[in-house]
């Protein structure tokens, strides 16, 4: 197959062609318009670049919570590489600061097909703790079945530390 682009009426049209020799020394030449496929591929490449370059950590899991993909911001936040993460669950980040009931409610929400938003404390690969805001969204197939979860994480450790310092200062002032 050979792919090529032609300009037709001020627009790009992509074709895929094949040439098949016949026994009588003639050939069959077939051309097919693949413009929609090329546009879809370009859109996928753009979206993949956006996901990879976003400042928020992104994690994609299967319905059981097994991690299938993370972006570079996830690696920067957690210290775990893509290879160290894929195939594991997000339990590798578990700090122990949330009660089991917290995770039970989270799973009940997303398995019911609803978006979960919340804050939690997780643990990096080096053992240090961090606060994160997270949104987990179910992804459904064409039949409505949940096939993936997308988790978007934002490090809010600085904000939490600032809030704690302000609260401490306010408490001291009210004691005076």
């Amino acid at each position: 197959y050979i792919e090529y682009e032609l300009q037709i009426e001020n627009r790009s049209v992509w074709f895929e062609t094949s040439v098949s020799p016949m026994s009588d020394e003639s050939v069959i030449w077939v051309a097919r318009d693949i413009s929609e496929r090329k546009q879809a591929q370009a859109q996928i490449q753009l979206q993949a670049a956006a996901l990879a370059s976003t400042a928020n950590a992104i994690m994609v899991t299967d319905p059981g919570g097994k991690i299938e993909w993370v972006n570079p911001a996830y690696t920067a936040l957690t210290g775990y590489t893509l290879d160290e993460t894929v195939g594991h669950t997000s339990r590798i980040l578990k700090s122990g600061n949330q009660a089991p009931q917290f995770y039970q409610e989270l799973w009940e929400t997303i398995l019911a097909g609803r978006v979960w938003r919340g804050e939690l404390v997780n643990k990096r690969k080096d053992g240090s703790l961090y606060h994160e805001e997270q949104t987990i969204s179910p992804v459904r197939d064409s039949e409505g079945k949940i096939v993936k979860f997308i988790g978007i994480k934002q490090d809010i450790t600085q904000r939490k530390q600032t809030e704690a310092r302000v609260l401490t200062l306010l408490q001291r002032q009210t004691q005076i």
Side-chain angles (χ1 to χ4, degrees):
Y1 290 99
I2 298 171
E3 294 181 2
Y4 57 93
E5 179 182 23
L6 294 176
Q7 294 296 317
I8 300 176
E9 297 178 3
N10 294 327
R11 70 180 186 97
S12 291
V13 181
W14 280 90
F15 290 96
E16 176 182 79
T17 61
S18 65
V19 179
S20 300
M22 302 302 291
S23 59
D24 64 356
E25 296 187 20
S26 61
V27 293
I28 296 178
W29 184 72
V30 177
R32 180 173 47 170
D33 182 345
I34 59 168
S35 300
E36 285 185 27
R37 183 179 83 198
K38 286 294 207 178
Q39 290 171 348
Q41 287 173 339
Q43 184 67 27
I44 289 169
Q45 287 174 336
L46 175 64
Q47 291 170 344
L51 289 174
S53 65
T54 186
N56 288 342
I58 300 174
M59 172 178 63
V60 178
T61 73
D62 70 10
K66 205 173 275 184
I67 299 169
E68 296 180 344
W69 181 82
V70 298
N71 69 345
Y74 176 97
T75 296
L77 174 62
T78 67
Y80 287 99
T81 66
L82 176 64
D83 289 340
E84 292 172 318
T85 306
V86 170
H88 296 277
T89 68
S90 58
R91 282 187 215 107
I92 63 174
L93 305 175
K94 196 171 181 179
S95 66
N97 285 28
Q98 286 77 226
Q101 180 66 26
F102 175 90
Y103 295 107
Q104 182 179 341
E105 290 172 9
L106 182 156
W107 276 100
E108 286 173 1
T109 300
I110 62 176
L111 289 172
R114 297 188 311 270
V115 174
W116 180 87
R117 290 178 179 85
E119 294 181 5
L120 59 156
V121 177
N122 271 335
K123 184 170 52 173
R124 292 182 178 88
K125 182 179 175 180
D126 68 8
S128 64
L129 300 180
Y130 66 96
H131 293 263
E132 72 176 41
E133 240 173 21
Q134 186 173 176
T135 300
I136 303 173
S137 301
V139 177
R140 297 177 185 272
D141 65 11
S142 60
E143 297 171 2
K145 180 182 173 189
I146 295 172
V147 293
K148 306 256 185 253
F149 292 112
I150 298 176
I152 301 175
K153 303 165 167 284
Q154 183 172 3
D155 186 352
I156 59 169
T157 304
Q158 286 286 85
R159 184 179 86 198
K160 289 294 196 181
Q161 290 170 346
T162 301
E163 288 172 358
R165 283 194 297 271
V166 168
L167 184 60
T168 300
L169 289 172
L170 288 173
Q171 290 172 342
R172 285 183 188 159
Q173 286 180 352
T174 57
Q175 292 174 355
I176 295 177

